[in-house]
Amino acid sequence: MKKLFLVLLLILLLAACGGGPGGPAADTEESTEGDTSTEATSEVQLADELSVYNWSEYIDEEKITEYEETYGVDIIYDTFASNEDLLAKLQAGAEGYDVIFPSDYMVAIMIDLGLLAEIDTADIPNFANIDPQFVGAPFDPNNDYCVPYQWGTTGIGYRADNEFFQENPPDSWAYLFEPDLLEQYADEGINVLNDPRELPGAALIYLGYNPNTTNPDELNEARDLILTAKPYWKTFNSEDYDNTLLIPGEVTLTQGWSGDVANAYWNTYDDETEDGDWYYSIPEEGAVKWLDNICITASSERYDTAVHFMNYLLDAEVGAAITNFTYYASPNEAAKEFILPEILEDESIFPPPEVEEKLVWLTEVGEDAFLYDELWTAVKASQ
Ligand code: N2P
C-alpha cells in the first residue's frame, strides 16, 4: 500500500513538473479578461518576494519551491498555531504579511476590523475549480476577500492498539473530559488542541451548548469542565502534535483536526496488517467543521503577486498535491481526479452525510469575544 502511495506520488510530481500548473511564465502572456484558463492573471509584473503566513504543517513545501522556481518569486514562509495567534500578529502591527490563511469565523472578524484586502475573483481563474458548496460561504458571501483553501473537522484521535479503546471506542467528548474515563488511559498521554475556540468548543458541545454561545453561565460551566480534566492532559499542542506526539506514540488520545489524525494513520500504515496506529472519531454529541481560506492582508502592497499565488494554489494539480500531503479535504472539485483514492475514500477526511449532519461551524461572537479570552486565560493560567 505504501509503495503504491509512493508510486502515485511520483506520478503526480512528474505530472506537475511537466505542464507547470500555473501555465507558462507569467510575463509572456496576453491578458484576457474573463478567461477561465490559468493565463488570465499573466500580464502582471510579479514582485520579487511574497510573504505567506499559514497554519503549521499545512502545505506541501515542494509546491512553494515549485512556485518560486517557475515564477521567480521568493516566498517568505512563516507559520502560526491558531486563528487568534494570526489575529494578534496582525493587530500588533505586523505589516510584512501578504497572504494569510484564516478560518471561517476569523475571516468575519478580520473583515470587520479592516484587516483584509478586497479581491476580485475574476483575477483568479482557478476559482472556477472550487466546488460550488464552498463558494460564497456566510462569512464572505461574495468571496470579496478570500477563496477556500482546505477544510476539515475537529474530533478525537486515538490509538488503535489501546486495549481500553478496543473495548470502548471513544465515541463521545466524555473521553476528553470525564475523570473516570481519563483515569483509564491518562498515563499513556493525552493531548488537546492549544486553541482558544476549539477546546472550549468541544466542552460546550459536550455540555449540550452551542460552541458559539455568549452566555456567561454556559461558558463558566465549560471552563470548569476543562479545569477538572486539565490535570489528566499531558500536552496542549495544535502545531506539530501529529508528527511529534501521535506518530511516535507519545500520547494515546488527542483532540485533533481530521487531517492531522489521518496523517498519523497513513504514516503508521502497515502493509501487512493493512492498518495504521491512529483512528479518528466524530463524537456522538457533534463536532466543529471548518473551512480555511486564502486571503490578502489590507497592508499588502503586492496584490498582483498575491492573487497570482492564490491562483496557483487553486490549480487542480497543486490543490491535489496539497491534500495528498496534508490529508485535509479539498474544496477544489477539479483537484479530485488527482487526489489519491485512499484519501478520497477515507471517511475521516471526507465525512459521509450522517456525520456531516452532526457538524457545526464556529462563528464570530463580536464584542463577546472577551468572554472566550477570559475563559482561555483561566484555563492556561491554572496549574
Ligand atoms: C494543520 C492545521 C489545520 C488547520 N496543521 C485547522 N483549521
Side-chain angles (χ1 to χ4, degrees):
M1 192 57 132
K2 222 173 220 163
K3 237 175 244 155
L4 174 70
F5 175 81
L6 286 174
V7 170
L8 284 169
L9 198 69
L10 194 65
I11 294 173
L12 281 172
L13 283 174
L14 288 174
C17 294
D27 50 5
T28 58
E29 291 297 311
E30 288 288 322
S31 167
T32 355
E33 201 153 331
D35 189 341
T36 52
S37 80
T38 49
E39 290 158 19
T41 51
S42 53
E43 207 168 325
V44 299
Q45 188 66 43
L46 297 177
D48 294 339
E49 294 184 336
L50 189 70
S51 175
V52 175
Y53 198 32
N54 195 359
W55 294 82
S56 15
E57 299 181 344
Y58 211 31
I59 199 162
D60 177 352
E61 294 204 12
E62 283 185 22
K63 293 291 119 190
I64 299 206
T65 311
E66 181 182 273
Y67 183 82
E68 294 182 312
E69 286 172 358
T70 310
Y71 300 108
V73 177
D74 273 339
I75 302 278
I76 303 157
Y77 194 77
D78 195 5
T79 61
F80 57 84
S82 69
N83 281 300
E84 288 66 25
D85 284 0
L86 164 64
L87 176 63
K89 203 57 169 266
L90 295 189
Q91 285 189 310
E95 296 238 317
Y97 298 116
D98 298 300
V99 178
I100 56 172
F101 293 70
S103 307
D104 34 69
Y105 74 93
M106 187 51 70
V107 168
I109 293 175
M110 289 184 165
I111 292 173
D112 286 351
L113 293 172
L115 292 170
L116 300 182
E118 281 196 54
I119 60 168
D120 184 349
T121 49
D123 295 333
I124 307 174
N126 287 330
F127 184 64
N129 289 339
I130 299 296
D131 180 341
Q133 66 166 303
F134 295 102
V135 170
F139 52 85
D140 181 17
N142 299 308
N143 292 96
D144 288 330
Y145 296 91
C146 306
V147 296
Y149 179 60
Q150 297 211 278
W151 68 275
T153 59
T154 311
I156 293 178
Y158 59 99
R159 272 191 78 94
D161 64 0
N162 180 307
E163 279 174 26
F164 184 75
F165 298 149
Q166 283 168 357
E167 299 291 311
N168 311 276
D171 56 359
S172 159
W173 288 114
Y175 286 80
L176 202 65
F177 295 118
E178 289 297 346
D180 55 336
L181 285 168
L182 293 165
E183 271 161 19
Q184 308 290 326
Y185 42 84
D187 286 353
E188 293 155 83
I190 297 166
N191 177 61
V192 293
L193 293 176
N194 191 18
D195 189 297
R197 287 297 305 272
E198 290 281 21
L199 186 60
L204 289 163
I205 291 174
Y206 176 55
L207 293 168
Y209 302 138
N210 188 310
N212 303 300
T213 185
T214 54
N215 175 324
D217 294 336
E218 294 177 357
L219 286 162
N220 287 343
E221 220 182 304
R223 178 200 60 206
D224 293 344
L225 181 70
I226 293 172
L227 291 177
T228 311
K230 189 182 170 191
Y232 296 93
W233 300 336
K234 181 173 166 184
T235 41
F236 279 69
N237 183 328
S238 44
E239 268 189 287
D240 57 6
Y241 63 106
D242 46 350
N243 291 313
T244 62
L245 300 173
L246 274 49
I247 294 174
E250 295 290 327
V251 294
T252 197
L253 182 123
T254 188
Q255 180 192 22
W257 284 315
S258 45
D260 294 337
V261 180
N263 177 39
Y265 175 83
W266 288 106
N267 277 290
T268 53
Y269 190 88
D270 181 334
D271 289 334
E272 262 156 48
T273 60
E274 297 192 350
D275 207 359
D277 291 348
W278 283 88
Y279 291 173
Y280 184 68
S281 122
I282 292 292
E284 59 191 11
E285 299 88 3
V288 164
K289 169 187 187 173
W290 41 263
L291 173 65
D292 295 333
N293 305 274
I294 322 173
C295 322
I296 305 177
T297 58
S299 61
S300 171
E301 287 170 4
R302 299 170 178 140
Y303 175 85
D304 289 343
T305 310
V307 287
H308 185 267
F309 181 65
M310 284 164 121
N311 191 55
Y312 169 82
L313 294 179
L314 263 42
D315 173 84
E317 289 177 45
V318 174
I322 293 170
T323 281
N324 288 336
F325 181 87
T326 64
Y327 296 93
Y328 281 100
S330 178
N332 189 324
E333 189 59 33
K336 292 213 168 134
E337 65 171 300
F338 305 107
I339 294 177
L340 297 171
E342 63 261 41
I343 293 185
L344 281 181
E345 287 158 17
D346 187 335
E347 295 197 335
S348 76
I349 302 173
F350 290 92
E354 66 275 15
V355 173
E356 281 265 4
E357 276 172 22
K358 294 196 284 187
L359 303 174
V360 4
W361 298 98
L362 293 179
T363 55
E364 181 186 17
V365 294
E367 287 176 1
D368 291 320
F370 78 94
L371 292 169
Y372 282 85
D373 293 343
E374 282 178 3
L375 185 160
W376 194 240
T377 305
V379 166
K380 294 310 285 283
S382 86
Q383 289 305 316

